[in-house]
Amino acid sequence: MIRISIAGLARHGGVGVETVRLYQCRGLLATPSRAGGIGRYGTEDIRRLLFIRAAQAAGFTLDEIGQLLSHDATQDRARAKRLAYERLAALDRKIADLQKARTALQRLARACDAPGVGPCPILAAFESHG
């Protein structure tokens, strides 16, 4: 059985110690008992930290990850699936917003290519929105 320090757990998860502490404060990771003054983490803690990181990479917020973890504990597949579809819809909205921003920026960049005098169209466009 593996028993590692918080620094070791953080290394396994590719995060800093403060991130592990944040996850503990949010209830996503357990705070181990302090045998001999040092908290020790095991295989389950590593698995859970890796789950949190993978869920974040998929776009889930920490609140949503907490919900997923509670669904995992109860094996409530329907609720977990609903949460995943909600996250997909949010990502689709974000992608659409990013595509609009990209199109607008492309248009402004092309306007800068046109010969002319006066301020750069990009700077002029941003100044008019400020």
Side-chain angles (χ1 to χ4, degrees):
M1 176 159 173
I2 184 172
R3 302 306 295 164
I4 57 175
S5 67
I6 192 170
L9 178 65
R11 271 193 304 278
H12 275 282
V15 299
V17 169
E18 289 306 313
T19 301
V20 172
R21 289 191 177 119
L22 169 69
Y23 295 162
Q24 289 171 332
C25 287
R26 299 288 299 261
L28 301 174
L29 283 174
T31 303
S33 61
R34 297 191 166 272
I38 298 173
R40 294 292 176 188
Y41 298 84
T43 306
E44 180 57 27
D45 299 304
I46 294 169
R47 185 197 71 78
R48 194 165 179 115
L49 178 56
L50 293 175
F51 174 90
I52 293 166
R53 300 293 294 149
Q56 282 183 307
F60 286 98
T61 66
L62 292 181
D63 287 339
E64 291 167 333
I65 293 169
Q67 291 176 45
L68 284 172
L69 287 167
S70 70
H71 299 328
D72 182 46
T74 62
Q75 296 184 349
D76 188 345
R77 293 176 65 170
R79 287 175 56 193
K81 182 173 104 175
R82 185 177 68 242
L83 190 59
Y85 277 115
E86 289 170 4
R87 174 57 23 207
L88 280 170
L91 287 173
D92 286 342
R93 288 189 299 274
K94 190 172 191 175
I95 289 168
D97 289 343
L98 287 171
Q99 287 174 331
K100 287 178 191 173
R102 184 178 191 280
T103 299
L105 190 54
Q106 278 181 324
R107 188 173 42 255
L108 288 171
R110 280 193 299 272
C112 267
D113 286 338
V117 205
C120 170
I122 294 173
L123 298 178
F126 292 152
E127 285 176 355
S128 68
H129 286 90

